[in-house]
Each structure stands twice: as structure tokens, then as C-alpha cells.
Amino acid sequence: QQQQQQQQSVWRPGTLACLGLGEWVDVLGTFANATVFLDHAAGRVTAVSHSAMQGSVASDGVLVCNATHLIAWEIDLRPRRGQSMPFSGTITSTGHLYLTYFGLDLVEHYILEESVPGTITPRYVSEFYILLESRHENRTGASSVLVCGARRDRLCVTHIAYRCEDVKCLQFSYATSHVLVLGLEPATRALTNLVQMLELPLPNANSLHRHGPSGRLFAACAGDRGQRGGGVQWLEELEDGSLALGSLLRLPPMADVSRMIDLGATRLGLLCFSHDHLFVVDTTLATLTVFRLDSSAATVRRVEGSLDLRTALPTRSHAALHDVLPLENGLVMLLDGKGSRMFVSRFSDKEEESVKAHTDLQIVYAAKIVGLNFPRRLLLI
């Protein structure tokens, strides 16, 4: 397919528009041959069947979207949580779903049971309120969540403390951040107690990620916008189930990281909220390379020297770079939402006297995406 597509200059992708997913949607993972989406604004978890999706591809290669046919199961979170939006979630290979609610400062637990062969029925199990004593009148919220520990028998939750600057808390500043290690009951995987509270050196820890090729655990801190910069914190998982701080890679001020993406055996990509830069971390050397997508020139260039992000774009809707998707054979796909284009690119390491001097990201193929206005996410199933 790649050889055939490289002869084309136009893509007509399939979409999941019929599912009614909102603009703020995350992929929690896969379970029972389905991809599981978290729609934050709608307060809904939706699983889309892979086999149904494959069977819905028409002769011209375009996906025919039929919600009744594609949706394997759903969870409507609103009857239990009202207007409170889930912040993040994770799903395990054994069918345990954990969701965080920032405003409520709690973690929610569901079990995905196979009631009859081939049919998944979600069942609510329990909730766990963090309820930590805040300092200096700070408010706190649970953000990202991930199964952790050397034996994967703990649940890690990033926890953010912030201070309201007005009555309605429309303006606020970030204080401390922690990674909370919660105990899991061995048989049911239910949340039991707070095992550890590990303070991070940077504020606004909003993302946890396990780098697939290496198995290493990372926390991304977005920082305090315009004041303190963010960074990436290596987390060491000890045999007793606790965590320890590893290396810390600081990012430029206003490099407000939103998501981490595996880009290879030793590469971790960082996408940001409001500008067109892709930060690439070498997970072995703890070094940083920065690339910028220039939509008007249809190029990706490596940023040399110091990076000043004070002129960053005001919102994600103004940015061109909206998603990065790793492909096979060391290729990555960059999504230009503003220009409705995709760029397949390849990393190339430049060596000087047998020492890696720097890394470039070269575009090897580009295509226009037709039929979609301002595409924002890519999904490979």
C-alpha cells in the first residue's frame, strides 16, 4: 500500500464522523479487538470494533461509517458524574479501566467483562477520592493515570496543585506536582490506598507515558505558562512498587507539553498545546532535538540554538502541526491540520567522527487530504 500511495498526491481517508466524537478525544488503548476512545466533553467512553471497521471499507478503500455497526460498547459517564469531565484514562490488557476527574480529584474504576462470548459489558466497580491536604489554600486535581510498578501492580496518578487568582478561578497559577502511587488489590485490581507521594521538581504534571520499546516510565510537566518552563522527568520503578526520580530534561519556557508519543527505540516525541514544534527526546542520552513544521513552505526544519516560544500561537486551532503518528521502517507521519496535508518523514542521524552529532527529519512523501476540514488526529489500526 505504501508503494502505491507514494505515487499519489491525494488521500481520501476514512473518518469516524458518524460516532459523534467531540474535538477533545483521546485514545485509551485497545481491548478485545476494539479501540477505546475517551470523549472528554461528552463524558463518554466508546469502543470501536476493528473487525466491524475492516468490514465497512468500501471497494474504493474509503470507510463507510455506521455507528450502530462500529460501536462495540459504550459507557455514559454523565448519570454518575453529571457535568464533570473526565481528564484522562487507561485500560489494561486484563480489562480494567481507570478514569481520572481533575475537578473532583478522584479516580474511577470499571471492569470490562465478557458477559457472553464476543460481547463486552462494562461494570462500574469503585471510586477513589485523593483528598490530600493542600497547602497555602491550593486546589488539587488528578490528571493522567497509568499502571506502574516493577510488577505492574500499582496505579500511578499525576496530581497537580494550583492556586486560583480570582473568585471564579478563571485565572490561576500552578504550584507543586506529584506522582501518586496507589495500591491495587491483587485479585480485583480495585484501588486500596495511597502508597507513595513523589514530588516532581516542575509544576503542572499533566501526562504519564510508558515508552513501549524501552519500557521506561516518563512524566511530562507543562510548566507554568509564561513563567516556569516544563520538562520531562524519568521515573525509576523499584522492586518494592515505589518510584524514584531519574533524569530530568528541562524544556524552554512555554513549551507546554500535551502528549508523548513513541517515535522509535530511543526516541520520544512531545506534542505541545499551542505551537508548531515537535520536541524529540533521546531516551538514552537524555538530549533534546526540536523540529518546526512550516506549513506555508511545506518543510520540517531542525531548530538550531536557543528556542524562544514567547511568540507561540495563542491556541491549538491556530497551529499547523496537530498530530504525529509512528509508522513502520522508521517512518513518522506529521499531520498539517491547517493545510489539510500529511507528511511522511524519516529521521536521519548525522555522524561526525563516529559520534552522533545531530538528527534531521526529512520529508519523503507528502499528500493533500481531501474531504476533511482541519483534520486534527491520526489513528492507525
Side-chain angles (χ1 to χ4, degrees), residues 69-125:
H69 183 58
L70 293 178
I71 295 177
W73 52 267
E74 280 190 303
I75 305 175
D76 187 356
L77 306 171
R78 291 170 298 181
R80 188 177 300 277
R81 299 299 170 203
Q83 298 302 312
S84 297
M85 290 192 299
F87 187 94
S88 181
T90 188
I91 188 169
T92 72
S93 60
T94 54
H96 293 271
L97 172 65
Y98 300 95
L99 301 171
T100 60
Y101 291 80
F102 188 85
L104 301 177
D105 207 3
L106 72 81
V107 183
E108 202 171 45
H109 177 206
Y110 289 84
I111 292 180
L112 307 177
E113 299 176 318
E114 192 172 18
S115 53
V116 297
T119 301
I120 299 298
T121 301
R123 178 170 64 87
Y124 170 80
V125 179

Side-chain angles (χ1 to χ4, degrees), residues 20-40:
L21 299 174
E23 294 184 0
W24 186 19
V25 177
D26 282 325
V27 178
L28 300 185
T30 60
F31 180 74
N33 196 37
T35 295
V36 182
F37 297 89
L38 174 61
D39 190 333
H40 301 264

Side-chain angles (χ1 to χ4, degrees), residues 46-330:
T46 301
V48 178
S49 167
H50 294 172
S51 56
M53 190 178 300
Q54 292 169 353
S56 300
V57 177
S59 58
D60 59 358
V62 177
L63 177 70
V64 178
C65 194
N66 183 304
T68 303
H69 183 58
L70 293 178
I71 295 177
W73 52 267
E74 280 190 303
I75 305 175
D76 187 356
L77 306 171
R78 291 170 298 181
R80 188 177 300 277
R81 299 299 170 203
Q83 298 302 312
S84 297
M85 290 192 299
F87 187 94
S88 181
T90 188
I91 188 169
T92 72
S93 60
T94 54
H96 293 271
L97 172 65
Y98 300 95
L99 301 171
T100 60
Y101 291 80
F102 188 85
L104 301 177
D105 207 3
L106 72 81
V107 183
E108 202 171 45
H109 177 206
Y110 289 84
I111 292 180
L112 307 177
E113 299 176 318
E114 192 172 18
S115 53
V116 297
T119 301
I120 299 298
T121 301
R123 178 170 64 87
Y124 170 80
V125 179
S126 63
E127 60 192 28
F128 187 91
Y129 281 89
I130 306 295
L131 296 178
L132 294 178
E133 183 177 343
S134 61
R135 294 174 290 180
H136 310 298
E137 299 182 351
N138 290 336
R139 299 187 183 186
T140 57
S143 49
S144 61
V145 57
L146 199 66
V147 172
C148 62
R151 294 183 293 274
R152 305 296 188 265
D153 56 352
R154 298 285 190 266
L155 194 72
C156 284
V157 179
T158 48
H159 197 246
I160 301 172
Y162 60 101
R163 185 180 301 111
C164 295
E165 306 294 348
D166 55 42
V167 176
K168 295 184 178 181
C169 206
L170 298 178
Q171 300 293 328
F172 53 87
S173 58
Y174 292 105
T176 57
S177 283
H178 293 82
V179 176
L180 309 181
V181 182
L182 306 180
L184 296 176
E185 203 280 324
T188 65
R189 310 297 283 178
L191 296 161
T192 57
N193 64 314
L194 176 62
V195 176
Q196 183 189 10
M197 185 174 176
L198 179 66
E199 184 169 354
L200 299 174
L202 297 173
N204 194 11
N206 64 353
S207 182
L208 280 171
H209 180 79
R210 185 175 301 283
H211 183 245
S214 67
R216 300 292 300 273
L217 186 63
F218 296 89
C221 299
D224 203 349
R225 187 172 177 83
Q227 299 179 33
R228 291 168 292 175
V232 178
Q233 176 69 62
W234 275 247
L235 297 172
E236 305 293 340
E237 298 173 289
L238 307 181
E239 285 298 325
D240 64 357
S242 63
L243 297 180
L245 296 178
S247 302
L248 172 66
L249 181 62
R250 293 182 179 271
L251 301 176
M254 300 185 74
D256 41 357
V257 178
S258 62
R259 194 155 52 95
M260 294 181 273
I261 305 165
D262 292 348
L263 294 180
T266 60
R267 292 190 178 100
L268 180 67
L270 311 177
L271 275 180
C272 299
F273 280 106
S274 57
H275 47 83
D276 291 322
H277 294 87
L278 172 65
F279 296 84
V280 179
V281 176
D282 187 311
T283 59
T284 303
L285 303 176
T287 56
L288 180 69
T289 306
V290 184
F291 300 94
R292 182 178 183 275
L293 173 64
D294 187 336
S295 178
S296 58
T299 59
V300 179
R301 62 178 179 85
R302 182 166 45 87
V303 178
E304 302 282 4
S306 59
L307 180 63
D308 186 357
L309 297 176
R310 289 173 295 180
T311 58
L313 300 169
T315 64
R316 165 56 63 191
S317 61
H318 291 77
L321 181 60
H322 270 258
D323 206 1
V324 178
L325 181 69
L327 303 173
E328 296 178 349
N329 303 319

